[in-house]
Amino acid sequence: MKTSHRTLAAALAVLATAALTSCGSGPGSDAGPAADGTVTLSFMTGSDQSIVDTSKALANAFMKANPTIKVEMEHQPGGSEGDNIVKTRLSTGEMTDVFWYNSGSLLQALNPAQTLVDLTGDPVLANVQPEYLPVVTQGGKVFGVPATTLTGGGILYNRKVYEQLKLEVPKTWAEFMANNDKIKAAGITPVISTFKDTWTSQIFVLADFHNVQAAVPNFAQDYTAGKVKYATTPAAAGGFQHLADVHAKDYLNKGFGSATLDQGLKMLVEGKGAHYAMLSGLLPPLLATYPQTATDVGLFGIPGNDPDRSGATVWEPNAIYIARTTEKLDAAKKFLAFVASPAGTEAVTAAVRPSGPYRIKGSKLPDDAIQVAKDLQAYIDKGATTPALEFLSPIKGPSLEQITVAVGSGLTPPAEGAAQYDKDVEKQAKQLGLAGW
């Protein structure tokens, strides 16, 4: 799980258990097959329920297809504790044979060239969509396969409210604000904010990156090199302005400062609030209690200023990697090849309703996929998605959520918030030893 990068991984970790529970043997298992010819593969995965369910589905389906290989799982906690466990066990040579971890810029923190098996050119990757490979690549070498689906970041919206008020999905910020006026006039909360869970305040900024990339194509590269800043790049500062706009217009729910993620999701599903800047990956766990989530909640990207370039920011799937210390490489590669196959995604779909498309060739969303997954697929089909900045740059200041709470609460002007974040980012960039800072 992520440490300061409190985006999708941290969002899913909200429901994660706090303790490390082990349900299988560790990496110290004998390398050779057992007396009955079976090989035991150890697999460390997360503790969030959706990750547990996904991992179980993959392991069970794989073992059914490969009866001579047994997969035993253990679960790491979320947040920095789980992150430290992964790094420690890799550095001490005690990691499980295969494990679940972040894709994107955080991969470099694992020192993959020394700790992971290089899969470049391996048949394991045959079914992985090429668009995914950059987020599991370091130093020109590929190290992982996608473990789950894409997640969309943007505005979750109540489709029943839109239908009732005869609203259309906005393609510009002005259209979004006009919709909010009509929703407010109808006595419904236009925009849900849940600042008790401070990380949720970041989505208006983080999910706006599609618009930043559209306006400033080299932003991620120049940002990493210290050449551009949020405060001096109008497109990048836009996310902070969005937070200020919805507060200034009194669009937010009463008590937004003490509201929680769970309360916000409930408001949205029940139609008491129309919009919630959030991540699609949080919806499947709601289906058991609120089955209408599947049809009543849709997704659109944070609207920008150019309707012709409207799109959505996406969080690429986490990955499954092979530890370089494994003594069961053939079995481990067979497992990853299964994970990265239509058969693997079908097994996952049967256990966990997908919240977005898979990054596997030949995999399709089921007919009964939830609406946000269909909406995200439509953006992908149009080529209108951009990876979140954290997949393109290692820099994300640890204080962003405190800054966005202050801006979104009307306590800090948006321009000042962007400047504060630039200072926060500078500290981290220097700690990472990046050139140009």
Side-chain angles (χ1 to χ4, degrees):
M1 289 294 166
K2 295 182 166 100
T3 53
S4 64
H5 292 243
R6 301 185 184 184
T7 52
L8 174 60
L12 296 177
V14 168
L15 302 177
T17 55
L20 176 67
T21 52
S22 175
C23 57
S25 60
S29 304
D30 292 337
D36 60 1
T38 61
V39 172
T40 298
L41 202 61
S42 55
F43 176 26
M44 179 186 283
T45 186
S47 301
D48 173 80
Q49 194 58 53
S50 64
I51 295 177
V52 171
D53 292 345
T54 297
S55 300
K56 282 184 177 179
L58 288 169
N60 290 338
F62 173 74
M63 288 188 289
K64 185 175 182 180
N66 297 270
T68 61
I69 303 175
K70 183 179 181 181
V71 179
E72 292 190 342
M73 297 195 309
E74 61 178 81
H75 304 286
Q76 72 200 51
S80 58
E81 183 181 358
D83 196 63
N84 289 335
I85 288 171
V86 170
K87 293 174 181 175
T88 299
R89 290 179 63 170
L90 282 172
S91 65
T92 58
E94 298 177 344
M95 178 49 83
T96 52
D97 298 304
V98 297
F99 66 99
W100 180 302
Y101 192 71
N102 301 287
S103 61
S105 62
L106 291 180
L107 174 59
Q108 68 179 2
L110 300 186
N111 194 16
Q114 278 70 49
T115 62
L116 306 182
V117 171
D118 178 10
L119 301 175
T120 309
D122 196 282
V124 165
L125 302 175
N127 292 313
V128 179
Q129 292 178 354
E131 295 87 349
Y132 180 75
L133 294 178
V135 304
V136 286
T137 298
Q138 287 287 326
K141 297 179 179 180
V142 184
F143 294 99
V145 300
T148 181
T149 65
L150 277 169
T151 283
I155 308 293
L156 298 181
Y157 73 105
N158 188 290
R159 299 173 76 231
K160 288 290 183 69
V161 171
Y162 263 54
E163 181 181 350
Q164 173 192 335
L165 301 180
K166 296 181 173 56
L167 302 176
E168 295 186 1
V169 169
K171 291 187 176 180
T172 66
W173 187 254
E175 291 174 357
F176 176 65
M177 295 296 276
N179 282 358
N180 285 327
D181 281 336
K182 295 174 183 177
I183 292 164
K184 184 177 179 180
I188 300 169
T189 295
V191 179
I192 300 165
S193 286
T194 52
F195 291 173
K196 174 71 171 179
D197 290 317
T198 54
W199 71 263
T200 65
S201 67
Q202 303 173 96
I203 305 302
F204 265 121
V205 173
L206 298 179
D208 196 46
F209 187 68
H210 173 80
N211 297 318
V212 179
Q213 179 86 342
V216 190
N218 292 326
F219 182 84
Q221 179 181 347
D222 290 343
Y223 169 75
T224 304
K227 297 178 180 179
V228 296
K229 310 294 181 185
Y230 270 83
T232 55
T233 307
F240 293 92
Q241 186 64 53
H242 295 339
L243 277 166
D245 286 349
V246 295
H247 179 270
K249 285 282 192 176
D250 196 26
Y251 289 152
L252 304 183
N253 46 301
K254 293 180 180 178
F256 65 87
S258 59
T260 66
L261 169 70
D262 290 342
Q263 291 171 334
L265 292 170
K266 185 173 185 287
M267 277 188 71
L268 178 71
V269 173
E270 293 180 343
K272 295 177 180 177
H275 299 124
Y276 191 15
M278 194 37 60
L279 302 159
S280 66
L282 291 173
L283 293 182
L286 297 176
L287 294 168
T289 306
Y290 303 103
Q292 69 268 36
T293 302
T295 55
D296 290 3
V297 178
L299 169 76
F300 57 83
I302 303 284
N305 297 320
D306 185 350
D308 294 331
R309 294 194 288 186
S310 65
T313 301
V314 297
W315 274 253
E316 294 285 354
N318 285 344
I320 294 178
Y321 304 95
I322 303 175
R324 199 167 182 175
T325 50
T326 184
E327 296 179 335
K328 304 162 189 176
L329 184 57
D330 288 344
K333 285 189 174 183
K334 283 184 179 179
F335 180 61
L336 264 66
F338 180 81
V339 170
S341 72
T345 61
E346 287 172 9
V348 172
T349 295
V352 180
R353 292 280 286 275
S355 61
Y358 292 97
R359 279 301 199 189
I360 302 299
K361 298 173 187 175
S363 294
K364 296 181 180 180
L365 288 173
D367 292 337
D368 65 347
I370 64 177
Q371 184 63 39
V372 292
K374 295 177 181 178
D375 291 341
L376 189 53
Q377 182 69 63
Y379 280 119
I380 290 173
D381 291 344
K382 290 190 297 183
T385 63
T386 300
L389 181 58
E390 67 190 69
F391 293 98
L392 306 174
S393 172
I395 308 171
K396 181 174 182 292
S399 299
L400 178 59
E401 64 194 71
Q402 285 76 35
I403 296 169
T404 48
V405 164
V407 173
S409 301
L411 302 175
T412 300
E416 185 179 330
Q420 289 175 355
Y421 187 51
D422 286 333
K423 291 181 180 178
D424 188 44
V425 161
E426 183 178 354
K427 294 177 184 177
Q428 194 204 37
K430 288 180 177 178
Q431 289 174 351
L432 294 172
L434 297 178
W437 293 85

